Amino acid sequence: MIARTMSSQDLSISAKLINGGIAGLVGVTCVFPIDLAKTRLQNQQGKDVYRGMTDCLMKTARAEGFLGMYRGAAVNLTLVTPEKAIKLAANDFLRQLLMQDGTQRNLKMEMLAGCGAGICQVVITCPMEMLKIQLQDAGRLAVCHQASASATPTSRPYSTGSTSTHRRPSATLIARELLRTQGLSGLYRGLGATLLRDIPFSIIYFPLFANLNQLGVSELTGKASFTHSFVAGCTAGSVAAVAVTPLDVLKTRIQTLKKGLGEDTYSGVTDCARKLWTQEGPAAFMKGAGCRALVIAPLFGIAQGVYFIGIGERILKCFE
């Protein structure tokens, strides 16, 4: 009996990991260009290169081609499977652990489970986004370089880095250089800012989704339909994404290694927030909020839809 229970639990965990991985791959493929626009808009200081998301995507496609909008996607596609799998599985595990009576909802326990999921995922999220941001922002820096070079041919567009500014970066080269010069801590630059963003996000998202999804649970099947789970995921994701946008802006600025000419560098979260407030005003904290909502809403809508359809369970049944 005990062996059967353990086998059932292992199957459940494996299915959740597969569901999280598939959902992450599908979601990232669909929304990555918008995420690239978000990163470039958040990193703009002083004179804006892009007027908004649409302008950014059009200029990127024109200057870098269609694949330019997916610069950095390989990092996400490689690491999003473990990231999303850890996030969804950790939340589900903690909910079961903290809420012994599954029939009675407890908002505090749901928020605590979300907090735990947010902490668990940063092991993957921080280095993944650290590498992704460098690749995504390279096109904006190239535009800044061209503009500054035409004005003053001897000017340099970067405040850090000794390699040629014309060389296209790769995630492998960046990771290798960070490990060589700064050790493992180099890949976890901005860890504090990542935690400050992801923990509140998870605290908002998971309880909100659980309660919205519960409204569509069928009495016959005991589960919500795909459509309802998708809409609940989109709604909860967009609300949580917009709510933590100021923290995402700080994280993006801190994790960006190379800066354009005259752009600020930051020593930490407090320094970044102070400079952002005094030099760019409170509106700067909401840069890319619309993009974040458009990225996170379908990303988590797809994730929860796949999760509740149970694709992982169906795949595992094929191997029984």
Side-chain angles (χ1 to χ4, degrees):
M1 179 68 180
I2 294 174
R4 187 180 302 173
T5 302
M6 290 297 293
S7 177
S8 176
Q9 288 177 348
D10 291 341
L11 178 67
S12 178
I13 292 171
S14 299
K16 289 166 187 173
L17 293 175
I18 293 171
N19 285 331
I22 292 173
L25 290 172
V26 174
V28 167
T29 303
C30 293
V31 302
F32 193 84
I34 303 174
D35 186 66
L36 179 138
K38 182 221 67 156
T39 297
R40 294 188 178 185
L41 291 172
Q42 288 182 339
N43 266 330
Q44 289 190 138
Q45 300 181 38
K47 185 178 179 181
D48 291 345
V49 176
Y50 311 108
R51 294 190 300 273
M53 181 188 72
T54 304
D55 182 56
C56 178
L57 292 175
M58 289 178 64
K59 286 180 177 177
T60 300
R62 200 157 44 233
E64 304 170 51
F66 176 78
L67 293 179
M69 294 189 291
Y70 281 88
R71 183 176 287 187
V75 178
N76 260 36
L77 291 172
T78 301
L79 296 177
V80 75
T81 298
E83 188 224 17
K84 285 292 176 287
I86 289 171
K87 187 184 186 82
L88 294 173
N91 177 73
D92 201 63
F93 172 77
L94 290 171
R95 278 171 58 84
Q96 291 178 5
L97 186 68
L98 295 169
M99 300 169 65
Q100 297 297 333
D101 183 6
T103 60
Q104 186 174 3
R105 310 205 72 81
N106 187 319
L107 183 59
K108 289 183 180 179
M109 291 299 101
E110 288 177 342
M111 293 176 72
L112 188 59
C115 176
I119 293 172
C120 291
Q121 79 168 77
V122 296
V123 175
I124 302 294
T125 303
C126 192
M128 178 182 75
E129 297 207 352
M130 177 70 184
L131 297 174
K132 180 198 72 172
I133 285 171
Q134 316 316 316
L135 299 173
Q136 286 182 325
D137 203 43
R140 183 189 69 88
L141 290 172
V143 174
C144 292
H145 169 65
Q146 291 173 0
S148 61
S150 61
T152 53
T154 59
S155 64
R156 293 179 60 83
Y158 300 100
S159 59
T160 61
S162 58
T163 57
S164 173
T165 58
H166 298 286
R167 185 181 300 172
R168 177 170 292 187
S170 73
T172 304
L173 289 174
I174 295 169
R176 188 181 301 157
E177 183 66 15
L178 284 171
L179 289 171
R180 185 182 66 83
T181 58
Q182 302 177 34
L184 193 61
S185 62
L187 287 175
Y188 281 88
R189 178 189 176 102
L191 177 62
T194 305
L195 284 167
L196 285 174
R197 181 199 65 175
D198 287 352
I199 292 175
F201 178 92
S202 295
I203 289 174
I204 295 169
Y205 172 78
F206 283 111
L208 181 56
F209 168 77
N211 285 276
L212 289 174
N213 194 65
Q214 186 66 28
L215 298 175
V217 172
S218 169
E219 293 182 359
L220 295 175
T221 62
K223 293 176 66 175
S225 66
F226 172 83
T227 303
H228 189 90
S229 290
F230 181 83
V231 172
C234 287
T235 303
S238 59
V239 170
V242 172
V244 302
T245 293
L247 298 167
D248 186 60
V249 173
L250 297 179
K251 185 196 76 68
T252 300
R253 292 285 182 97
I254 290 168
Q255 287 190 319
T256 301
L257 294 174
K258 294 187 176 182
K259 306 287 186 179
L261 184 66
E263 292 183 345
D264 285 319
T265 56
Y266 311 102
S267 60
V269 174
T270 304
D271 180 57
C272 183
R274 180 180 57 80
K275 287 179 178 177
L276 205 63
W277 180 274
T278 56
Q279 296 177 17
E280 300 178 53
F285 286 90
M286 295 305 292
K287 282 186 175 182
C291 291
R292 268 186 64 76
L294 290 174
V295 168
I296 299 297
L299 193 63
F300 278 85
I302 292 168
Q304 295 298 353
V306 170
Y307 201 69
F308 278 84
I309 284 175
I311 293 177
E313 288 82 352
R314 298 183 185 185
I315 291 174
L316 290 176
K317 282 182 180 179
C318 296
F319 295 94
E320 288 182 350

